[in-house]
Amino acid sequence: MNRYTLLVGAVIGFSSQAAVVTEPLTYQVDGQEFKGYLAFDDSLASPVPGVLVVHEWWGQNDYVRLRAEMLAELGYVALALDMYGDGKQTGHPEEAGAFAKASLASLPLAERRFNAAREVLAGHPRVAGSPIAAVGYCYGGGVVLHMARSGAPLAAVASFHGSLTPKADPLPAGSNIRIAVFNGAADPMVPGEQVAAFRQEMDAAQADYLLVNYPGALHAFTNPDADRVAAEFNIPVGYNQAADQDSWRRLQDFLQDSFE
């Protein structure tokens, strides 16, 4: 049991009945190897919906794998994908920022990386034609919103403390993808004008969306390790237990409604 399980698991709780199986998997994109992490409840009958989980800018680490396991506890097949390649990850914000910037320098390449993981999940026998959603944290939140805007074949996306500014075109009118955003109202990386512009974009597209702003919550509010990162690197992030719990509860309802 790692530190994330101890902290987040104690806050949110897990079902003692689930038989969650996890396995690493590799897949290829443009000749490069990518490393995913699959989690599912082996006791459930298949097929069931799938959920892609996109990591923070740190890369595909223990935290995003834990979130995949938590989604498996809810009865989904979850795949924590790799947007950097070779399972690359870091604990330093400067290197993380460089990784994130490089991965988004070519949006078509970033889309291919995401869609390759989606195809892996869609082709898994435990998913087999069931709908797929995507959940992203920080960097990953911006990625899943971009994929929603670009028309990726997803039932829904949910962003936790991610950028709300379009990386290319805004969400087109008539899009039927469901969108949920969980944002820290005190997050300086997502200022109020960005939130207001996102609302205008969603309203203009007549989107089916949910936007929750948590008063006092900073960037990375779902990650218990954020307080250590803030102290070590002097950056404005922080864990918020109340926002973490509430956003996870709302995500469960959101996914259930999206998969009906």
Side-chain angles (χ1 to χ4, degrees), residues 10-221:
V11 169
I12 297 169
F14 295 107
S15 167
S16 61
Q17 302 302 313
V20 171
V21 173
T22 64
E23 56 187 53
L25 56 84
T26 59
Y27 52 99
Q28 299 284 322
V29 185
D30 296 334
Q32 183 180 1
E33 186 173 84
F34 288 73
K35 297 180 179 179
Y37 181 82
L38 192 74
F40 57 89
D41 184 345
D42 197 35
S43 69
L44 297 179
S46 300
V48 297
V51 182
L52 294 163
V53 193
V54 189
H55 52 76
E56 299 173 294
W57 68 348
W58 309 114
Q60 207 248 64
N61 60 11
D62 285 349
Y63 175 69
V64 74
R65 293 170 192 163
L66 170 66
R67 290 294 180 178
E69 292 168 13
M70 292 167 68
L71 286 160
E73 291 273 357
L74 299 178
Y76 305 119
V77 177
L79 173 60
L81 58 80
D82 174 11
M83 286 296 293
Y84 295 163
D86 301 318
K88 188 163 54 179
Q89 58 179 275
T90 181
H92 197 287
E94 288 187 5
E95 192 171 27
F99 288 170
K101 183 178 180 180
S103 74
L104 298 174
S106 167
L107 289 179
L109 175 58
E111 291 167 6
R112 288 199 299 275
R113 291 178 174 183
F114 179 95
N115 283 322
R118 184 189 57 77
E119 290 170 7
V120 167
L121 183 58
H124 194 279
R126 290 185 173 272
V127 176
S130 296
I132 292 176
V135 175
Y137 294 85
C138 298
Y139 159 89
V143 169
V144 301
L145 288 177
H146 173 72
M147 297 310 300
R149 290 168 172 130
S150 68
L154 298 165
V157 301
S159 168
F160 291 81
H161 39 81
S163 171
L164 304 181
T165 301
K167 302 182 188 307
D169 297 327
L171 187 74
S175 175
N176 60 4
I177 191 168
R178 302 186 76 235
I179 295 175
V181 166
F182 304 102
N183 184 65
D187 183 352
M189 303 179 198
V190 187
E193 54 267 28
Q194 191 178 128
V195 176
F198 177 79
R199 287 187 187 276
Q200 292 175 358
E201 176 193 357
M202 294 296 108
D203 290 342
Q206 297 183 319
D208 181 356
Y209 78 102
L210 168 70
L211 173 60
V212 184
N213 251 334
Y214 292 103
L218 292 169
H219 197 72
F221 64 80

